[in-house]
Amino acid sequence: MLTTTGASWSAPTMIACGATTRLNSLCGPSHRGRSVSETRPVRLRSRITCWLALATLTACAGTKPPTPADSAPIRLITVADGATDSVTERAVAARATGILLEVGYDVSALGTPTGKLQRIARVELDEIAEIDRPAFTTRLRQWLQRHDVEGIHINAASTPAGAVEALAAEVRLVRDYLSVTSNLATSASGMATLTAKGDGTWLLQRSPSTAPTMPIALTLLGESPPTTVTLAGRSAPLQTDGEGRMAWLSNGRPDTLRLVVNGDSVHVPTQRWSRPYDYALSLYGKTHRVTPWVELRRGPGPITTAASYEILGRTDSLAQAQINGVSTHVYRTGVFFDSVELAPGRNRLQLQATSAEGEALYAVEILHEPHVDRAPLPLWIDEKSLSPSEDLELLPTDVVDLRFTGAIGHRGSVRVEPGGLELAMSRQDQTDRSLYSAQLPVRRLRPGRSYRLRVELRSSGGDVERRDLSVALKVNAGVDEFPLLRTTRPRCPVSYSLGRVRLGGPFLAEYGAGIVLQSSGRFGRYQRIDLGPNRVGYIHQRYVEVLPPETVRPGFHISSLHARPRDTEDVVSIPWPEPVPYSVQGDPEGQRILVTLYGVQTTSTWVQQRGGMRYVQRMSWEQLDAQTYRVAIHLTTPLIWGYELKPEGKSLVLRLPYPTPLPEPAASDSVTHKPLSDLRVAIEAGHGGTNTGAVGLSGLFEKDVNLDTSLRLGRLCEMAGAEVVQLRTQDSGTPYMGRLDSLEASGADLVVSIHANSAGGGFLRASGTSMYYHNPFWEPFAQRVYDRMLELGYEEFGVVGSFNYRNIRLSSRPAVLVEQAFMSHARDEEQLADPAHRQRIAEKVLSGIVDYVQDLRESERLLGPLPPSVDEDSVTPAAGL
Ligand SMILES: [Zn+2]
């Protein structure tokens, strides 16, 4: 609004500027710490004198005299403390300028714990309807930028509905903590109340419900903005101020503002908004800030236990910024930040920006409640720390870890009912609490029963505190008592452990529907599955159904293995007459692929290997234990183009595809010209649609950065001769499963997923580029791209393997994920926001792809041409193909 009115606003700035300059010297920072004893106690006798307003300031020496435009009904008087006052003088001034803005003291604050007088500014209005609201609010905001008061009292003779609320919102869009009171009853929540107590003192009350109320201002741009706007959820329409600006107090921030403007409904999404919520709305329904502006992007909540906090603000990239009066560097993305120490009690946090367009200020209040050490007595047990917290169904060989946090230095124990088994817990003391733990061997409980657990804390003085764990513990005698399960859908993930780590525990296998698994335990919503002696996996219950008790666990003997070349691939076939679980593991260091079958015993007397295979050198097998059978497929090179193991009828079939076409050794010159010719490259721009990915410090969305880099990379790959499959070409949110399907259907030779990273712990902490892969065969690919990315001068964040992200969890083709840099790092984000830099990233990723493809082609050259094609008819039917 400030810019839009600035052009048309003809009133000179002299009154505001003169007044503010003077006021600044009178009641600026030097007065902020004034203590009670320095101020004369005053008995208040009337409404007027309740304001300890002691000086009048009406004229500004050296400024030009009022022009006719000044006689518009905008008048501003500032009354400061420090000198005696005559009511008449002020009244004259008020009549001359129309609006009386006084600074006084709320004497009721004398009784507050801080003991400080609260400085309250008072706005005196004859008729709000008659004032020039845009000009008035501009001045009021400018005044508020310079004066740190505690509250604003709006004293109006009469006013149209909503006008006082609009003013209250305008005030709080500058200083959000101000208590705004009015002599007029207003239904808006978020207003404080000022009540005369009758003994000459006044009581200012900020009701608790005022805290979450959000001030919002929206300026409707356009030639002739409407005078009223209907807002969904509000009974009375909002009045605009003649320049399309409306301000109101809202109960929280809605995700979408639903407006009816001139009969048209307009939906304004607010998810990207930061405080203060002061935006302009274009005719196209888009909101933006109007200069000068400043916003608080990250900071503590209204109440915090942290003693210091890194505050993140944002303004125009060309502005200068301050946090609590301290200048900070403004990045090209407009962000600026600083660490702020908080004192116990109320703290003011003030963000300021100054640019050619003017000044902006936004200030909030934070209550710092320091962490209070907890005393050893009375006894307490932290309910949330109780573990286990989920129902368990276990074997006698299992051990249950029991833990809780409680009052420091006592005796903890756990009691198991029925049976009354009691175990002492060991204790680990921290500053003001102890960690109590015990291990309960399930073999001490009777199978077939269900148990409840209760922990107990006992002081030396005999006090006792008890808590029942809200979990049931069931004991089964053996694996046979657990049910058989069957996978019910495609791509059911099984993990090695229940690690609550990023993207789930380490990944053991992914099954299609119909695999039969033996449960050997239940941990909340997870089933533990038995894969043989000392081998387990975990699967979420959503992927399996429980089979009837009479179902027989599958198992078989393996006799023969077959491997042979086909036109475009090497094919290994392992008998799989029953749907037992299996896993496949890449071992590039051992130059082999390992296929493990669970519940299988060997009678392998027949390992048939045809000649002419390109990648399969030979096969060997091993019975690892009574139920675990492993086939090793030894390779001619670790530089393969992918492999895939899938059940096909009664066989598990492993396929290793050849590149198409195989490079001609003599044609290497023409390949250099178009280094990716004959290749299909799939590119995934990470996230999309409602899935924004990481949000940068400036509000930049990862999905947008990813998409732009991906499209740039795609064009470069095409120029290098590749056919490109973009998994996302616009801002859409295709589910990952859908993307994985199209990825597999794409026939791509290589997969690159483009992301950008994010981390907590400071806006200049984690930085740099990193690369991720899941299958160890793709580590060289990740390394090649990484080396190229480092040429951009990035810090090293590393090459990360075993990464679980679904779209690169592929063995069927080389797949890597590029985390370009950190959205959460101010300098990284500055670069990511720059299209020229994203182009450089795309160029480096391309170079990495080309480097890796050259490695692959060199390996192919060494392997030589394929022998003449194999006779299909000679395939042994026993191979099951
Ligand atoms: Zn991402």
Side-chain angles (χ1 to χ4, degrees):
M1 173 214 159
L2 299 183
T3 291
T4 55
T5 59
S8 59
W9 184 39
S10 53
T13 54
M14 79 89 179
I15 293 174
C17 91
T20 52
T21 309
R22 176 72 181 278
L23 262 181
N24 214 18
S25 62
L26 285 171
C27 48
S30 62
H31 284 254
R32 232 170 268 163
R34 175 184 282 254
S35 71
V36 180
S37 58
E38 289 172 278
T39 313
R40 287 173 296 126
V42 171
R43 294 294 296 173
L44 302 176
R45 287 183 200 84
S46 69
R47 197 169 64 93
I48 295 288
T49 52
C50 85
W51 306 100
L52 183 60
L54 300 174
T56 307
L57 182 67
T58 51
C60 307
T63 51
K64 56 178 174 152
T67 62
D70 291 330
S71 59
I74 283 294
R75 289 162 297 175
L76 179 70
I77 295 179
T78 43
V79 184
D81 55 316
T84 47
D85 168 47
S86 114
V87 173
T88 323
E89 228 174 20
R90 284 192 298 122
V92 169
R95 224 159 286 124
T97 56
I99 292 160
L100 188 65
L101 188 59
E102 299 178 61
V103 177
Y105 286 114
D106 174 20
V107 177
S108 65
L110 276 170
T112 63
T114 59
K116 283 182 186 165
L117 291 171
Q118 292 190 353
R119 289 147 40 81
I120 303 227
R122 172 176 155 118
V123 181
E124 191 83 34
L125 302 169
D126 292 335
E127 288 286 342
I128 292 187
E130 285 180 14
I131 67 166
D132 179 355
R133 236 171 79 189
F136 173 69
T137 49
T138 301
R139 289 187 183 188
L140 184 61
R141 288 166 62 90
Q142 284 172 347
W143 188 89
L144 283 167
Q145 284 177 20
R146 301 201 172 261
H147 298 90
D148 189 5
V149 291
E150 311 288 328
I152 291 281
H153 182 70
I154 299 163
N155 198 49
S158 68
T159 164
V164 167
E165 182 190 345
L167 267 185
E170 294 285 4
V171 163
R172 286 190 43 203
L173 287 165
V174 181
R175 295 189 183 273
D176 208 356
Y177 50 81
L178 289 187
S179 306
V180 184
T181 60
S182 169
N183 65 316
L184 298 175
T186 166
S187 59
S189 62
M191 297 286 287
T193 56
L194 188 69
T195 343
K197 289 167 74 182
D199 59 355
T201 62
W202 294 71
L203 181 64
L204 178 74
Q205 284 174 303
R206 294 199 217 192
S207 76
S209 63
T210 62
T213 308
M214 291 290 177
I216 301 179
L218 202 59
T219 304
L220 307 171
L221 301 179
E223 281 303 305
S224 49
T227 52
T228 61
V229 172
T230 311
L231 178 66
R234 264 184 86 97
S235 47
L238 288 165
Q239 307 287 327
T240 65
D241 69 357
E243 295 193 357
R245 183 176 174 88
M246 53 196 189
W248 69 100
L249 295 168
S250 163
N251 238 331
R253 186 197 67 183
D255 282 348
T256 307
L257 292 177
R258 292 168 207 284
L259 314 173
V260 179
V261 184
N262 292 338
D264 293 332
S265 69
V266 183
H267 289 190
V268 183
T270 67
Q271 290 93 338
R272 293 177 85 147
W273 285 14
S274 286
R275 288 195 294 160
Y277 302 137
D278 186 351
Y279 287 87
L281 178 69
S282 73
L283 293 173
Y284 310 103
K286 295 248 185 272
T287 54
H288 59 90
R289 296 272 191 203
V290 177
T291 50
W293 57 274
V294 68
E295 67 186 22
L296 173 61
R297 294 200 61 82
R298 283 182 215 171
I303 302 174
T304 178
T305 56
S308 80
Y309 213 97
E310 199 160 31
I311 307 297
L312 180 70
R314 190 173 176 232
T315 180
D316 296 288
S317 56
L318 295 176
Q320 290 176 322
Q322 291 184 325
I323 295 178
N324 283 2
V326 178
S327 292
T328 64
H329 174 70
V330 179
Y331 288 79
R332 289 201 305 274
T333 46
V335 301
F336 58 93
F337 46 89
D338 198 7
S339 206
V340 170
E341 304 293 324
L342 301 176
R346 290 180 187 280
N347 292 262
R348 295 273 160 87
L349 175 65
Q350 182 168 306
L351 305 181
Q352 258 171 301
T354 313
S355 68
E357 283 83 11
E359 275 180 56
L361 178 138
Y362 182 58
V364 297
E365 202 169 71
I366 295 150
L367 186 63
H368 170 40
E369 286 183 337
H371 171 78
V372 182
D373 280 357
R374 299 196 64 172
L377 288 170
L379 290 173
W380 56 272
I381 291 173
D382 178 9
E383 195 85 34
K384 283 184 297 214
S385 71
L386 290 170
S387 174
S389 57
E390 289 177 311
D391 288 352
L392 300 170
E393 211 168 318
L394 300 173
L395 288 167
T397 47
D398 286 318
V399 173
V400 181
D401 280 319
L402 291 147
R403 281 190 310 274
F404 72 88
T405 305
I408 188 166
H410 302 287
R411 263 189 320 123
S413 62
V414 58
R415 199 178 163 83
V416 188
E417 296 288 357
L421 173 67
E422 196 160 332
L423 294 174
M425 301 183 88
S426 63
R427 197 182 79 210
Q428 215 184 315
D429 294 339
Q430 291 161 355
T431 35
D432 64 338
R433 57 200 60 214
S434 293
L435 194 70
Y436 298 88
S437 59
Q439 292 202 316
L440 167 66
V442 177
R443 67 182 149 74
R444 296 187 62 177
L445 307 176
R446 205 178 309 159
R449 294 185 92 165
S450 205
Y451 292 89
R452 303 228 152 245
L453 305 163
R454 164 185 286 184
V455 293
E456 204 171 272
L457 206 53
R458 192 177 288 269
S459 76
S460 53
D463 300 328
V464 182
E465 181 75 7
R466 297 190 179 91
R467 283 283 183 288
D468 289 321
L469 273 67
S470 58
V471 300
L473 167 61
K474 191 173 178 238
V475 182
N476 287 344
V479 168
D480 298 351
E481 290 181 18
F482 287 93
L484 284 171
L485 312 166
R486 184 165 54 201
T487 54
T488 52
R489 47 169 131 167
R491 299 198 180 109
C492 306
V494 178
S495 61
Y496 279 106
S497 69
L498 276 181
R500 300 275 193 262
V501 292
R502 190 174 181 190
L503 304 175
F507 176 74
L508 177 119
E510 193 170 68
Y511 295 135
I515 308 288
V516 177
L517 306 165
Q518 171 69 55
S519 170
S520 71
R522 190 167 65 84
F523 299 76
R525 286 164 299 161
Y526 283 85
Q527 292 278 357
R528 179 173 62 193
I529 55 171
D530 175 55
L531 298 173
N534 302 318
R535 280 166 210 275
V536 295
Y538 295 86
I539 190 165
H540 195 282
Q541 65 184 22
R542 76 167 80 101
Y543 297 110
V544 290
E545 61 185 355
V546 173
L547 293 174
E550 63 275 12
T551 318
V552 177
R553 185 176 181 177
F556 54 87
H557 289 78
I558 280 190
S559 57
S560 58
L561 302 171
H562 300 268
R564 64 191 177 82
R566 286 182 89 178
D567 284 346
T568 59
E569 58 194 1
D570 286 350
V571 181
V572 175
S573 175
I574 303 164
W576 190 67
E578 295 184 39
V580 299
Y582 56 87
S583 64
V584 58
Q585 234 181 319
D587 176 17
E589 254 140 57
Q591 212 163 300
R592 57 188 189 162
I593 297 166
L594 301 168
V595 179
T596 312
L597 289 84
Y598 305 99
V600 170
Q601 289 174 330
T602 182
T603 52
S604 295
T605 53
W606 190 268
V607 179
Q608 188 189 39
Q609 292 150 194
R610 298 286 182 106
M613 285 187 292
R614 190 166 186 82
Y615 301 120
V616 179
Q617 193 176 52
R618 63 185 180 88
M619 289 186 293
S620 62
W621 61 264
E622 196 182 347
Q623 185 78 39
L624 295 178
D625 57 50
Q627 292 189 48
T628 315
Y629 176 84
R630 191 168 78 184
V631 184
I633 295 102
H634 302 270
L635 304 174
T636 53
T637 172
L639 285 169
I640 51 175
W641 295 78
Y643 61 88
E644 200 161 19
L645 179 77
K646 270 188 178 167
E648 291 183 14
K650 300 285 183 193
S651 299
L652 276 181
V653 178
L654 178 79
R655 295 170 186 277
L656 290 115
Y658 308 155
T660 46
L662 282 172
E664 299 291 324
S668 59
D669 280 353
S670 62
V671 170
T672 11
H673 185 60
K674 291 259 182 192
L676 300 184
S677 56
D678 301 325
L679 288 177
R680 194 175 290 174
V681 178
I683 300 170
E684 186 214 12
H687 311 281
T690 53
N691 178 355
T692 61
V695 178
L697 300 184
S698 71
L700 188 65
F701 284 165
E702 187 199 331
K703 62 172 184 177
D704 298 331
V705 173
N706 295 345
L707 181 59
D708 184 71
T709 304
S710 298
L711 296 176
R712 290 170 189 275
L713 175 62
R715 286 192 288 272
L716 291 174
C717 287
E718 273 166 6
M719 283 159 64
E723 191 185 322
V724 171
V725 181
Q726 292 279 6
L727 293 193
R728 174 162 85 84
T729 53
Q730 54 191 345
D731 185 15
S732 62
T734 318
Y736 282 121
M737 287 302 209
R739 279 192 206 169
L740 200 50
D741 286 339
S742 43
L743 185 61
E744 285 183 341
S746 70
D749 299 290
L750 302 160
V751 177
V752 180
S753 180
I754 301 288
H755 284 252
N757 224 332
S758 180
F763 309 129
L764 284 175
R765 280 269 182 84
S767 160
T769 193
S770 47
M771 225 54 57
Y772 300 79
Y773 62 92
H774 182 263
N775 191 304
F777 275 104
W778 314 144
E779 191 270 341
F781 186 15
Q783 195 65 50
R784 283 301 202 182
V785 182
Y786 186 61
D787 289 345
R788 289 295 190 172
M789 284 292 282
L790 290 181
E791 291 174 356
L792 290 173
Y794 277 125
E795 283 180 40
E796 289 208 43
F797 198 74
V799 176
V800 179
S802 203
F803 194 64
N804 270 354
Y805 180 64
R806 200 179 270 278
N807 287 0
I808 60 157
R809 209 165 63 195
L810 294 169
S811 64
S812 57
R813 59 213 81 197
V816 293
L817 184 146
V818 181
E819 292 281 8
Q820 304 167 82
F822 279 84
M823 307 281 296
S824 53
H825 188 277
R827 273 197 309 275
D828 279 12
E829 193 207 18
E830 209 172 39
Q831 292 187 321
L832 288 171
D834 176 7
H837 185 80
R838 294 197 294 265
Q839 180 68 20
R840 287 194 285 276
I841 291 178
E843 285 164 8
K844 292 301 174 189
V845 176
L846 172 75
S847 301
I849 295 172
V850 169
D851 290 347
Y852 181 61
V853 165
Q854 273 167 0
D855 293 346
L856 287 169
R857 285 189 162 147
E858 176 60 17
S859 168
E860 293 299 335
R861 200 182 60 77
L862 294 172
L863 290 177
L866 270 182
S869 100
V870 183
D871 180 6
E872 280 292 315
D873 297 336
S874 70
V875 172
T876 318
L881 294 172

